[in-house]
């Protein structure tokens, strides 16, 4: 089943989208928003699945699906936490600046809680006042959970996964060092993130969803040039159930919690990278200095994932960097 949110009201209007992303039908009579569906998932899910099946069989009135008419599936969320599950990526970051990596990073996940009140739509511009802040994209996979009790273990956590999405976790790289130096984590360096037009249930991924991971390449295209397509199911040190369990160690997670994987990264660098910071790190290690700039005004980033038949699973995150102008 595939779900999306039309741009109506603050929290969107829930729709059901066909598997090939060509058509959609309304679902507001079942649940007005995706958050409402998640809050009442046991009742809403079978009805939404039946609506999806009818759409697939062309047994219900439908309309052309246009990602530009959609917000992120959850236009805002109660909880957005991003992990760093690809520890080889973290190791690379630290090695580029000559820092050792604690052994605990391989056994205890890194995670931060980001702003979740103003997600960007999947085709919305990334508006920033300045390119001096080091604007970067981070292509990731994320899950949306149902309610997760505090102390839930990884073995049970997979049962809470309701939907999956793609993420562009926008990062301001040149603001990060100053914030981390204060010893209190990210804030200004992590502006609004964007998510794929469509969220999908795990069964839509078939055998590509196993072991709590998505075993498919994630494509990051900048200005028409492929930066990378590493496989999200390779070198993921902590799978999604482990990330959920980590987040729920000392607090319950409410339905609609979004947990991100962190930048997808493979040890085998031949598949490229899912962020510019990693590209620059590899340049520093190889040549002593970076040559690839961070994103500039006018740059366009596209993030997508395809099945074995080249079907676009989640729709494409397609964003352009533009200069932010203060409202008068």
């Amino acid at each position: 089943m595939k779900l999306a949110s039309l741009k109506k009201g603050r929290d969107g209007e829930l729709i059901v989208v066909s598997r090939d992303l060509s058509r959609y039908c309304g679902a507001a009579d079942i649940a007005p928003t995706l958050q409402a569906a998640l809050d009442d998932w046991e009742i809403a899910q079978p009805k939404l699945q039946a609506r999806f099946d009818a759409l697939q069989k062309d047994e219900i009135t439908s309309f052309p699906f246009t990602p530009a008419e959609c917000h992120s599936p959850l236009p805002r969320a109660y909880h957005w936490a991003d992990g760093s599950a690809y520890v080889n990526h973290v190791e690379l970051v630290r090695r580029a600046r000559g820092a050792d990596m604690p052994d605990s990073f391989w056994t205890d996940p890194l995670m931060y809680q980001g702003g979740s009140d103003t997600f960007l739509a999947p085709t919305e511009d990334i508006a920033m006042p300045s390119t001096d802040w080091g604007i970067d994209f981070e292509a990731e996979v994320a899950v949306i959970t149902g309610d997760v009790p505090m102390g839930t273990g990884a073995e049970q956590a997979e049962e809470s996964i309701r939907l999956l999405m793609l993420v562009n976790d926008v990062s301001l790289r040149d603001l990060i060092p100053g914030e981390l130096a204060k010893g209190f984590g990210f804030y200004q360096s992590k502006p609004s993130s964007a998510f794929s037009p469509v969220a999908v249930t795990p069964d839509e991924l078939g055998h590509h969803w196993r072991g709590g991971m998505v075993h498919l390449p994630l494509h990051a295209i900048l200005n028409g040039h492929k930066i990378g397509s590493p496989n999200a199911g390779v070198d993921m040190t902590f799978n999604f159930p482990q990330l959920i369990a980590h987040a729920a160690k000392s607090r319950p997670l409410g339905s609609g919690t979004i947990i991100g994987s962190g930048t997808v990264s493979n040890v085998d660098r031949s598949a490229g990278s899912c962020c510019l910071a990693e590209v620059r790190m590899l340049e520093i290690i190889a040549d002593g200095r970076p040559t690839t700039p961070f994103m500039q005004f006018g740059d366009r980033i596209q993030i997508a994932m395809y099945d074995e038949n080249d079907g676009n699973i989640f729709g494409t995150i397609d964003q352009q960097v533009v200069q932010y102008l203060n409202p008068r």
Side-chain angles (χ1 to χ4, degrees):
M1 178 169 61
K2 299 192 175 188
L3 304 173
S5 295
L6 294 179
K7 292 178 179 177
K8 291 187 179 181
R10 259 182 196 243
D11 295 302
E13 180 181 298
L14 182 63
I15 60 173
V16 176
V17 183
S18 64
R19 185 168 286 123
D20 64 0
L21 307 186
S22 66
R23 296 168 294 123
Y24 80 89
C25 62
D29 59 313
I30 298 173
T33 66
L34 179 56
Q35 182 62 54
L38 291 162
D39 287 340
D40 201 15
W41 190 249
E42 288 71 21
I43 293 174
Q45 188 274 337
K47 296 178 180 179
L48 291 169
Q49 183 66 54
R51 185 72 51 90
F52 176 76
D53 293 341
L55 179 62
Q56 286 299 113
K57 297 174 183 177
D58 201 22
E59 295 175 348
I60 191 170
T61 301
S62 64
F63 309 92
F65 178 68
T66 305
E69 296 177 356
C70 293
H71 213 303
S72 286
L74 284 172
R76 55 180 176 169
Y78 293 115
H79 193 163
W80 154 233
D82 201 15
S84 192
Y86 299 86
V87 179
N88 70 87
H89 169 77
V90 181
E91 184 179 42
L92 184 64
V93 172
R94 297 178 70 89
R95 182 150 57 99
R97 66 173 189 262
D100 294 329
M101 191 177 76
D103 290 340
S104 63
F105 282 23
W106 292 99
T107 57
D108 190 27
L110 295 173
M111 185 173 286
Y112 79 92
Q113 186 168 349
S116 60
D117 53 335
T118 58
F119 292 142
L120 299 176
T123 61
E124 186 174 353
D125 291 339
I126 302 168
M128 287 291 148
S130 172
T131 57
D132 293 340
W133 291 349
I135 305 166
D136 198 1
F137 63 89
E138 291 191 62
E140 310 181 10
V141 182
V143 296
I144 303 176
T145 76
D147 290 315
V148 182
M150 181 169 62
T152 295
E155 297 79 10
Q156 294 78 39
E158 187 167 352
E159 299 173 7
S160 71
I161 296 173
R162 302 289 184 255
L163 298 161
L164 292 102
M165 306 182 289
L166 303 183
V167 192
N168 180 15
D169 178 40
V170 181
S171 295
L172 304 177
R173 300 295 186 182
D174 290 338
L175 298 186
I176 289 176
E179 286 203 296
L180 293 186
K182 297 177 182 179
F184 215 59
F186 302 118
Y187 194 88
Q188 293 176 334
S189 54
K190 289 292 187 177
S192 300
S193 298
F195 295 84
S196 52
V198 171
V200 311
T201 48
D203 62 286
E204 284 295 312
L205 296 166
H207 69 278
H208 299 298
W209 173 251
R210 61 184 187 276
M213 297 178 280
V214 180
H215 294 263
L216 283 167
L218 181 59
H219 300 265
I221 309 296
L222 180 63
N223 298 327
H225 171 70
K226 185 170 80 170
I227 300 299
S229 55
N231 193 305
V234 175
D235 303 316
M236 191 178 188
T237 308
F238 305 102
N239 65 18
F240 280 111
Q242 290 171 311
L243 293 176
I244 294 168
H246 178 83
K249 178 178 180 178
S250 59
R251 61 172 116 171
L253 308 180
S255 65
T257 292
I258 305 172
I259 304 287
S261 67
T263 306
V264 175
S265 178
N266 293 166
V267 173
D268 179 0
R269 303 297 175 190
S270 63
S273 301
C274 273
C275 70
L276 293 176
E278 186 169 293
V279 173
R280 289 166 59 90
M281 293 170 216
L282 291 168
E283 292 170 346
I284 291 171
I285 292 169
D287 305 318
R289 62 184 183 89
T291 56
T292 298
F294 287 119
M295 296 177 76
Q296 304 298 308
F297 296 139
D299 284 352
R300 181 175 296 279
I301 178 63
Q302 296 170 298
I303 298 169
M305 181 176 279
Y306 302 91
D307 61 25
E308 60 266 34
N309 298 314
D310 292 326
N312 193 331
I313 299 171
F314 301 91
T316 302
I317 298 173
D318 188 350
Q319 298 179 279
Q320 187 171 32
V321 178
V322 301
Q323 186 158 24
Y324 175 74
L325 300 176
N326 287 316
R328 298 295 182 184

PDB file of all heavy atoms in Angstrom, residues 16 23 30 36 86 102 129 144 159-161 201 210 213 219 239 243 245 255 274 291 308:
ATOM      1  N   VAL A  16      -4.654   7.634  -1.225  1.00  0.00           N
ATOM      2  CA  VAL A  16      -4.058   6.340  -1.553  1.00  0.00           C
ATOM      3  C   VAL A  16      -3.525   6.424  -2.977  1.00  0.00           C
ATOM      4  O   VAL A  16      -4.223   6.905  -3.881  1.00  0.00           O
ATOM      5  CB  VAL A  16      -5.093   5.206  -1.421  1.00  0.00           C
ATOM      6  CG1 VAL A  16      -4.502   3.872  -1.865  1.00  0.00           C
ATOM      7  CG2 VAL A  16      -5.604   5.115   0.010  1.00  0.00           C
ATOM      8  N   ARG A  23      -1.751   7.176 -10.394  1.00  0.00           N
ATOM      9  CA  ARG A  23      -3.098   7.602 -10.036  1.00  0.00           C
ATOM     10  C   ARG A  23      -3.258   7.626  -8.516  1.00  0.00           C
ATOM     11  O   ARG A  23      -2.480   7.006  -7.786  1.00  0.00           O
ATOM     12  CB  ARG A  23      -4.134   6.642 -10.632  1.00  0.00           C
ATOM     13  CG  ARG A  23      -4.171   6.615 -12.163  1.00  0.00           C
ATOM     14  CD  ARG A  23      -5.009   5.448 -12.679  1.00  0.00           C
ATOM     15  NE  ARG A  23      -4.413   4.169 -12.356  1.00  0.00           N
ATOM     16  CZ  ARG A  23      -5.028   3.203 -11.670  1.00  0.00           C
ATOM     17  NH1 ARG A  23      -6.275   3.389 -11.246  1.00  0.00           N
ATOM     18  NH2 ARG A  23      -4.426   2.066 -11.426  1.00  0.00           N
ATOM     19  N   ILE A  30     -11.853   7.715   5.329  1.00  0.00           N
ATOM     20  CA  ILE A  30     -11.305   6.702   6.236  1.00  0.00           C
ATOM     21  C   ILE A  30     -10.536   7.369   7.370  1.00  0.00           C
ATOM     22  O   ILE A  30     -10.720   7.058   8.548  1.00  0.00           O
ATOM     23  CB  ILE A  30     -10.389   5.727   5.468  1.00  0.00           C
ATOM     24  CG1 ILE A  30     -11.189   4.988   4.392  1.00  0.00           C
ATOM     25  CG2 ILE A  30      -9.720   4.744   6.426  1.00  0.00           C
ATOM     26  CD1 ILE A  30     -10.330   4.128   3.477  1.00  0.00           C
ATOM     27  N   ALA A  36      -3.837  10.820  11.572  1.00  0.00           N
ATOM     28  CA  ALA A  36      -5.071  10.240  12.100  1.00  0.00           C
ATOM     29  C   ALA A  36      -5.136   8.742  11.803  1.00  0.00           C
ATOM     30  O   ALA A  36      -5.583   7.949  12.636  1.00  0.00           O
ATOM     31  CB  ALA A  36      -6.282  10.958  11.506  1.00  0.00           C
ATOM     32  N   TYR A  86      25.048   4.034   9.380  1.00  0.00           N
ATOM     33  CA  TYR A  86      26.145   3.602   8.506  1.00  0.00           C
ATOM     34  C   TYR A  86      27.445   4.113   9.122  1.00  0.00           C
ATOM     35  O   TYR A  86      27.940   5.187   8.790  1.00  0.00           O
ATOM     36  CB  TYR A  86      25.926   4.117   7.081  1.00  0.00           C
ATOM     37  CG  TYR A  86      24.642   3.578   6.483  1.00  0.00           C
ATOM     38  CD1 TYR A  86      23.431   4.226   6.702  1.00  0.00           C
ATOM     39  CD2 TYR A  86      24.631   2.397   5.746  1.00  0.00           C
ATOM     40  CE1 TYR A  86      22.239   3.725   6.189  1.00  0.00           C
ATOM     41  CE2 TYR A  86      23.451   1.879   5.225  1.00  0.00           C
ATOM     42  CZ  TYR A  86      22.255   2.542   5.453  1.00  0.00           C
ATOM     43  OH  TYR A  86      21.091   2.032   4.953  1.00  0.00           O
ATOM     44  N   PRO A 102      35.667   6.343  18.636  1.00  0.00           N
ATOM     45  CA  PRO A 102      35.484   5.432  19.780  1.00  0.00           C
ATOM     46  C   PRO A 102      34.892   4.094  19.341  1.00  0.00           C
ATOM     47  O   PRO A 102      34.023   4.041  18.468  1.00  0.00           O
ATOM     48  CB  PRO A 102      34.499   6.194  20.680  1.00  0.00           C
ATOM     49  CG  PRO A 102      34.650   7.631  20.284  1.00  0.00           C
ATOM     50  CD  PRO A 102      34.943   7.616  18.818  1.00  0.00           C
ATOM     51  N   PRO A 129      19.422  31.775   3.541  1.00  0.00           N
ATOM     52  CA  PRO A 129      19.904  33.146   3.385  1.00  0.00           C
ATOM     53  C   PRO A 129      21.275  33.245   2.741  1.00  0.00           C
ATOM     54  O   PRO A 129      21.597  34.247   2.102  1.00  0.00           O
ATOM     55  CB  PRO A 129      19.949  33.680   4.822  1.00  0.00           C
ATOM     56  CG  PRO A 129      19.069  32.772   5.607  1.00  0.00           C
ATOM     57  CD  PRO A 129      19.179  31.432   4.948  1.00  0.00           C
ATOM     58  N   ILE A 144       8.231   5.100   9.662  1.00  0.00           N
ATOM     59  CA  ILE A 144       7.236   5.711  10.544  1.00  0.00           C
ATOM     60  C   ILE A 144       6.695   4.604  11.442  1.00  0.00           C
ATOM     61  O   ILE A 144       6.313   3.532  10.949  1.00  0.00           O
ATOM     62  CB  ILE A 144       6.079   6.339   9.754  1.00  0.00           C
ATOM     63  CG1 ILE A 144       6.602   7.376   8.747  1.00  0.00           C
ATOM     64  CG2 ILE A 144       5.079   6.988  10.694  1.00  0.00           C
ATOM     65  CD1 ILE A 144       5.504   7.962   7.861  1.00  0.00           C
ATOM     66  N   GLU A 159       7.776  -4.855  14.685  1.00  0.00           N
ATOM     67  CA  GLU A 159       6.322  -4.920  14.604  1.00  0.00           C
ATOM     68  C   GLU A 159       5.682  -3.530  14.613  1.00  0.00           C
ATOM     69  O   GLU A 159       4.542  -3.368  14.188  1.00  0.00           O
ATOM     70  CB  GLU A 159       5.775  -5.746  15.766  1.00  0.00           C
ATOM     71  CG  GLU A 159       6.265  -7.186  15.792  1.00  0.00           C
ATOM     72  CD  GLU A 159       5.839  -7.919  17.049  1.00  0.00           C
ATOM     73  OE1 GLU A 159       5.046  -7.330  17.829  1.00  0.00           O
ATOM     74  OE2 GLU A 159       6.296  -9.059  17.253  1.00  0.00           O
ATOM     75  N   SER A 160       6.414  -2.535  15.081  1.00  0.00           N
ATOM     76  CA  SER A 160       5.864  -1.182  15.169  1.00  0.00           C
ATOM     77  C   SER A 160       6.024  -0.393  13.873  1.00  0.00           C
ATOM     78  O   SER A 160       5.474   0.699  13.745  1.00  0.00           O
ATOM     79  CB  SER A 160       6.542  -0.411  16.305  1.00  0.00           C
ATOM     80  OG  SER A 160       7.887  -0.086  15.973  1.00  0.00           O
ATOM     81  N   ILE A 161       6.779  -0.918  12.908  1.00  0.00           N
ATOM     82  CA  ILE A 161       7.041  -0.180  11.670  1.00  0.00           C
ATOM     83  C   ILE A 161       5.797  -0.214  10.788  1.00  0.00           C
ATOM     84  O   ILE A 161       5.340  -1.277  10.364  1.00  0.00           O
ATOM     85  CB  ILE A 161       8.255  -0.755  10.919  1.00  0.00           C
ATOM     86  CG1 ILE A 161       9.515  -0.583  11.770  1.00  0.00           C
ATOM     87  CG2 ILE A 161       8.427  -0.075   9.557  1.00  0.00           C
ATOM     88  CD1 ILE A 161      10.751  -1.253  11.198  1.00  0.00           C
ATOM     89  N   THR A 201       4.015   0.764   2.732  1.00  0.00           N
ATOM     90  CA  THR A 201       4.067  -0.292   3.737  1.00  0.00           C
ATOM     91  C   THR A 201       5.216  -1.247   3.394  1.00  0.00           C
ATOM     92  O   THR A 201       5.577  -1.398   2.218  1.00  0.00           O
ATOM     93  CB  THR A 201       2.737  -1.053   3.790  1.00  0.00           C
ATOM     94  OG1 THR A 201       2.328  -1.413   2.459  1.00  0.00           O
ATOM     95  CG2 THR A 201       1.651  -0.204   4.434  1.00  0.00           C
ATOM     96  N   ARG A 210      14.097  -6.921   4.335  1.00  0.00           N
ATOM     97  CA  ARG A 210      14.442  -8.069   5.179  1.00  0.00           C
ATOM     98  C   ARG A 210      15.525  -7.640   6.167  1.00  0.00           C
ATOM     99  O   ARG A 210      16.334  -6.762   5.891  1.00  0.00           O
ATOM    100  CB  ARG A 210      14.924  -9.259   4.330  1.00  0.00           C
ATOM    101  CG  ARG A 210      16.168  -9.011   3.502  1.00  0.00           C
ATOM    102  CD  ARG A 210      16.506 -10.225   2.617  1.00  0.00           C
ATOM    103  NE  ARG A 210      17.780 -10.055   1.940  1.00  0.00           N
ATOM    104  CZ  ARG A 210      17.950  -9.392   0.804  1.00  0.00           C
ATOM    105  NH1 ARG A 210      16.904  -8.856   0.185  1.00  0.00           N
ATOM    106  NH2 ARG A 210      19.155  -9.289   0.258  1.00  0.00           N
ATOM    107  N   MET A 213      15.949  -3.894   7.086  1.00  0.00           N
ATOM    108  CA  MET A 213      16.667  -2.990   6.189  1.00  0.00           C
ATOM    109  C   MET A 213      16.055  -3.037   4.792  1.00  0.00           C
ATOM    110  O   MET A 213      15.414  -4.025   4.425  1.00  0.00           O
ATOM    111  CB  MET A 213      18.149  -3.383   6.096  1.00  0.00           C
ATOM    112  CG  MET A 213      18.925  -3.286   7.399  1.00  0.00           C
ATOM    113  SD  MET A 213      20.648  -3.822   7.231  1.00  0.00           S
ATOM    114  CE  MET A 213      20.451  -5.612   7.288  1.00  0.00           C
ATOM    115  N   HIS A 219      19.465   6.518  -4.892  1.00  0.00           N
ATOM    116  CA  HIS A 219      20.105   7.361  -5.904  1.00  0.00           C
ATOM    117  C   HIS A 219      20.059   8.832  -5.501  1.00  0.00           C
ATOM    118  O   HIS A 219      18.997   9.358  -5.160  1.00  0.00           O
ATOM    119  CB  HIS A 219      19.403   7.177  -7.256  1.00  0.00           C
ATOM    120  CG  HIS A 219      19.449   5.765  -7.760  1.00  0.00           C
ATOM    121  ND1 HIS A 219      20.407   5.309  -8.632  1.00  0.00           N
ATOM    122  CD2 HIS A 219      18.649   4.694  -7.490  1.00  0.00           C
ATOM    123  CE1 HIS A 219      20.205   4.032  -8.897  1.00  0.00           C
ATOM    124  NE2 HIS A 219      19.145   3.631  -8.216  1.00  0.00           N
ATOM    125  N   ASN A 239      20.180  -1.816  12.212  1.00  0.00           N
ATOM    126  CA  ASN A 239      18.971  -1.833  11.378  1.00  0.00           C
ATOM    127  C   ASN A 239      17.875  -0.997  12.041  1.00  0.00           C
ATOM    128  O   ASN A 239      18.039  -0.481  13.152  1.00  0.00           O
ATOM    129  CB  ASN A 239      18.529  -3.268  11.088  1.00  0.00           C
ATOM    130  CG  ASN A 239      18.101  -4.024  12.333  1.00  0.00           C
ATOM    131  OD1 ASN A 239      17.797  -3.452  13.381  1.00  0.00           O
ATOM    132  ND2 ASN A 239      18.068  -5.346  12.226  1.00  0.00           N
ATOM    133  N   LEU A 243      17.451   0.807  15.787  1.00  0.00           N
ATOM    134  CA  LEU A 243      17.347   2.260  15.958  1.00  0.00           C
ATOM    135  C   LEU A 243      16.096   2.625  16.764  1.00  0.00           C
ATOM    136  O   LEU A 243      16.128   3.514  17.628  1.00  0.00           O
ATOM    137  CB  LEU A 243      17.312   2.950  14.597  1.00  0.00           C
ATOM    138  CG  LEU A 243      18.591   2.882  13.757  1.00  0.00           C
ATOM    139  CD1 LEU A 243      18.357   3.522  12.391  1.00  0.00           C
ATOM    140  CD2 LEU A 243      19.764   3.553  14.464  1.00  0.00           C
ATOM    141  N   ALA A 245      14.552   0.703  18.968  1.00  0.00           N
ATOM    142  CA  ALA A 245      14.798   0.296  20.350  1.00  0.00           C
ATOM    143  C   ALA A 245      15.697   1.294  21.068  1.00  0.00           C
ATOM    144  O   ALA A 245      15.493   1.603  22.250  1.00  0.00           O
ATOM    145  CB  ALA A 245      15.415  -1.108  20.381  1.00  0.00           C
ATOM    146  N   SER A 255       2.668   7.196  18.075  1.00  0.00           N
ATOM    147  CA  SER A 255       2.400   6.863  16.676  1.00  0.00           C
ATOM    148  C   SER A 255       2.739   8.056  15.796  1.00  0.00           C
ATOM    149  O   SER A 255       2.466   9.204  16.149  1.00  0.00           O
ATOM    150  CB  SER A 255       0.935   6.469  16.495  1.00  0.00           C
ATOM    151  OG  SER A 255       0.079   7.566  16.772  1.00  0.00           O
ATOM    152  N   CYS A 274      26.048   9.614  -0.790  1.00  0.00           N
ATOM    153  CA  CYS A 274      24.710  10.182  -0.653  1.00  0.00           C
ATOM    154  C   CYS A 274      24.727  11.541   0.037  1.00  0.00           C
ATOM    155  O   CYS A 274      23.691  12.013   0.506  1.00  0.00           O
ATOM    156  CB  CYS A 274      23.802   9.221   0.101  1.00  0.00           C
ATOM    157  SG  CYS A 274      23.004   8.005  -0.995  1.00  0.00           S
ATOM    158  N   THR A 291      37.698  19.548  -3.288  1.00  0.00           N
ATOM    159  CA  THR A 291      37.507  20.361  -4.497  1.00  0.00           C
ATOM    160  C   THR A 291      36.032  20.508  -4.864  1.00  0.00           C
ATOM    161  O   THR A 291      35.677  21.417  -5.618  1.00  0.00           O
ATOM    162  CB  THR A 291      38.261  19.746  -5.692  1.00  0.00           C
ATOM    163  OG1 THR A 291      37.833  18.391  -5.879  1.00  0.00           O
ATOM    164  CG2 THR A 291      39.771  19.771  -5.450  1.00  0.00           C
ATOM    165  N   GLU A 308      13.497  -3.548  -9.156  1.00  0.00           N
ATOM    166  CA  GLU A 308      14.251  -4.243 -10.204  1.00  0.00           C
ATOM    167  C   GLU A 308      13.679  -4.015 -11.597  1.00  0.00           C
ATOM    168  O   GLU A 308      14.357  -4.283 -12.601  1.00  0.00           O
ATOM    169  CB  GLU A 308      14.314  -5.743  -9.918  1.00  0.00           C
ATOM    170  CG  GLU A 308      12.975  -6.428  -9.834  1.00  0.00           C
ATOM    171  CD  GLU A 308      12.454  -6.508  -8.417  1.00  0.00           C
ATOM    172  OE1 GLU A 308      12.700  -5.588  -7.638  1.00  0.00           O
ATOM    173  OE2 GLU A 308      11.778  -7.515  -8.098  1.00  0.00           O
TER     174      GLU A 308
END
